[in-house]
């Protein structure tokens, strides 16, 4: 009902943050390149195995003076995994409590999505790139509905079906990224683009010629190949970066890297403990295990490691701030990570949460900084903060579900929905660029 939307808008508006004047508009007019690091966890950055950096290129990007890297940033996906990450990043709505929202609602719902919004606000061309079939996670339909001008799925790549070019869900990242860089160079600027890698995906298989680091030795078969495919992804990124530098795109683009969700599920506790050098895992270790990278490189803007607590739901408002685009009409559930008014509460799809102060894990609470368990009943100050966080998290998730499941954004005023000019496109028939 339309009245449900009004209530939700009140909640959303009461959580709007004031932009940070130091970062607002720093990337205005620049191309946007979102580079999706499949199944990539934060712990891999600067991680060493047998004395070697596993991901030297990503580490260099992490420490680049123009990169702002959030080291308290969490994935917030549900069953929709990659698709949930995409939905959060581009609409600031959560995946649904079960199933994949992109699959179930991507085709027909009304959205305020990044591609259409940037087209409207900055005449951006938009393109998504992925080396799997276009229909996976209902991407082809959802992307049209979000306003993507182009979707370069597997069918657009040369010899994409060559068995030697594929592993797991799709094309090997290095091969996929070569053509991707060529296509990208031909896009009209400014453009908004996202590049979804796939090789670093469970079960972390790789052909011998692409292996350049030994497996880890946790003796957990599903875990030990992870550093090998992560290394491969790192090299693929390194090649792509070089390509962007050669073509001049690197210096007029905001490059955003993020990990979509865990690579090693917390069912593998013994192996995780070995990887991070601990005897036993605490609930806080397990919450930390959900950290993924968010790194944003803006040419000319001073970066650094930023400790603000946030998650995937916050990316859209954060990027809009950097691009100097107002988000006052956005009905979304994230907050600009650069704003001083950010609540720093990170809801997970299972109702757990992490904040800069406290962590809810199962039915217990902990001090985030120390991992000390606390009982809110005997700590009135903590209780106030915890009750407020619980309420914020529950309201956010419930409201987001109502919007997605009830297609409530169709009740928005027309001028608050960015015009969709690609709804009737057929990516399958549209001609690939040469
Ligand atoms: C396949 C890929 C995998 O196209 O994006 O999705 P995931 O299994 O990680 O959700
Ligand atoms: Mn994924």
């Amino acid at each position: 009902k339309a009245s449900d939307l009004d209530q939700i808008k009140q909640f959303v508006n009461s959580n709007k943050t004031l932009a940070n004047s130091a970062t607002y508009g720093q990337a205005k007019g620049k191309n946007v390149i979102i580079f999706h690091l499949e199944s990539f966890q934060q712990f891999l950055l600067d991680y060493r195995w047998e004395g070697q950096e596993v991901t030297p290129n990503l580490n260099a990007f992490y420490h680049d003076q123009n990169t702002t890297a959030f080291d308290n940033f969490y994935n917030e996906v549900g069953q929709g995994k990659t698709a949930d990450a995409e939905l959060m990043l581009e609409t600031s709505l959560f995946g649904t409590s079960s199933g994949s929202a992109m699959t179930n609602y991507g085709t027909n719902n009304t959205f305020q999505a990044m591609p259409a919004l940037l087209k409207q606000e900055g005449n951006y061309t938009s393109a998504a790139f992925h080396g799997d079939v276009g229909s996976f996670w209902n991407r082809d339909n959802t992307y049209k509905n979000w306003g993507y001008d182009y979707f370069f799925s597997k069918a657009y790549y040369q010899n994409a079906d060559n068995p030697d070019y594929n592993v797991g869900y799709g094309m090997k990242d290095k091969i996929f990224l070569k053509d991707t860089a060529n296509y990208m160079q031909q896009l009209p600027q400014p453009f908004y683009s996202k590049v979804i890698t796939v090789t670093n995906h469970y079960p972390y298989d790789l052909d011998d010629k692409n292996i350049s680091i030994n497996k880890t030795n946790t003796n957990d078969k599903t875990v030990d190949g992870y550093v090998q495919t992560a290394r491969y992804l790192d090299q693929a990124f390194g090649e792509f970066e070089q390509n962007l530098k050669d073509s001049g795109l690197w210096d007029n683009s905001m490059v955003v890297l993020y990990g979509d969700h865990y690579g090693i599920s917390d069912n593998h506790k013994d192996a995780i403990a070995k990887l991070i050098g601990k005897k036993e895992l605490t609930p806080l270790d397990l919450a930390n295990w959900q950290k993924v990278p968010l790194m944003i490189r803006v040419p000319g803007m001073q970066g650094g490691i930023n400790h603000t607590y946030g998650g995937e739901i916050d990316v859209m408002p954060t990027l809009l701030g950097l691009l100097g685009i107002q988000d006052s009409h956005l009905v979304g559930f994230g907050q600009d990570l650069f704003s001083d008014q950010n609540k720093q509460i990170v809801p997970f799809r299972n109702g757990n949460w992490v904040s800069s102060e406290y962590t809810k894990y199962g039915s217990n609470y902990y001090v985030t900084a120390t991992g000390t368990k606390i009982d809110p009943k005997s700590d009135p100050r903590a209780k106030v903060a915890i009750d407020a966080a619980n309420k914020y998290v529950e309201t956010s998730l419930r409201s987001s579900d109502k919007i997605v499941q009830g297609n409530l954004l169709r009740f928005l005023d027309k001028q608050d929905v960015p015009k969709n000019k690609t709804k009737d496109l057929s990516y399958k028939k549209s001609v690939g660029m040469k």
Side-chain angles (χ1 to χ4, degrees), residues 4 7-8 397-408:
D4 290 339
Q7 249 187 9
I8 293 170
L397 293 171
R398 187 167 21 90
S399 306
S400 180
D401 284 349
K402 273 191 185 163
I403 286 186
V404 174
Q405 288 162 344
N407 186 16
L408 294 187

Side-chain angles (χ1 to χ4, degrees), residues 89-102:
L89 256 78
E90 300 193 274
T91 68
S92 206
L93 297 170
F94 288 101
T96 38
S97 57
S98 68
S100 150
M102 257 170 60

Side-chain angles (χ1 to χ4, degrees), residues 356-368:
S356 51
E357 276 190 293
Y358 302 108
T359 294
K360 177 177 196 281
Y361 192 87
S363 47
N364 296 314
Y365 297 95
Y366 304 86
V367 177
T368 300

Side-chain angles (χ1 to χ4, degrees), residues 38 82 260-261:
E38 179 57 41
T82 299
D260 61 341
H261 50 72

Side-chain angles (χ1 to χ4, degrees), residues 101-109 111 138 141-142 145-146 423:
M102 257 170 60
T103 303
N104 295 324
Y105 304 100
T107 310
N108 294 316
N109 270 19
F111 289 101
N138 195 30
N141 293 312
T142 305
N145 196 16
W146 287 355
K423 183 93 185 162

Side-chain angles (χ1 to χ4, degrees), residues 400-424:
S400 180
D401 284 349
K402 273 191 185 163
I403 286 186
V404 174
Q405 288 162 344
N407 186 16
L408 294 187
L409 298 186
R410 73 185 192 278
F411 297 122
L412 282 172
D413 292 343
K414 278 277 165 299
Q415 70 264 23
D416 291 345
V417 181
K419 278 188 207 47
N420 186 318
K421 299 183 175 159
T422 63
K423 183 93 185 162
D424 300 320

Side-chain angles (χ1 to χ4, degrees), residues 43 47 216-224 264-282 285-286 289:
F43 90 92
Y47 188 77
T216 51
N217 62 356
T218 68
N219 293 323
D220 185 331
K221 276 203 171 50
T222 51
V223 169
D224 285 329
I264 299 169
S265 98
D266 54 16
N267 297 324
H268 300 273
K269 292 199 177 49
D270 291 345
I272 294 171
K274 280 189 192 137
L275 286 178
I276 63 174
K278 288 211 162 184
K279 279 223 163 60
E280 231 175 292
L281 296 177
T282 64
D285 290 327
L286 290 168
W289 195 246

Side-chain angles (χ1 to χ4, degrees), residues 36 38-39 81-83 137 201 260-261:
H36 166 113
E38 179 57 41
S39 304
K81 303 293 288 293
T82 299
W137 287 131
H201 191 292
D260 61 341
H261 50 72

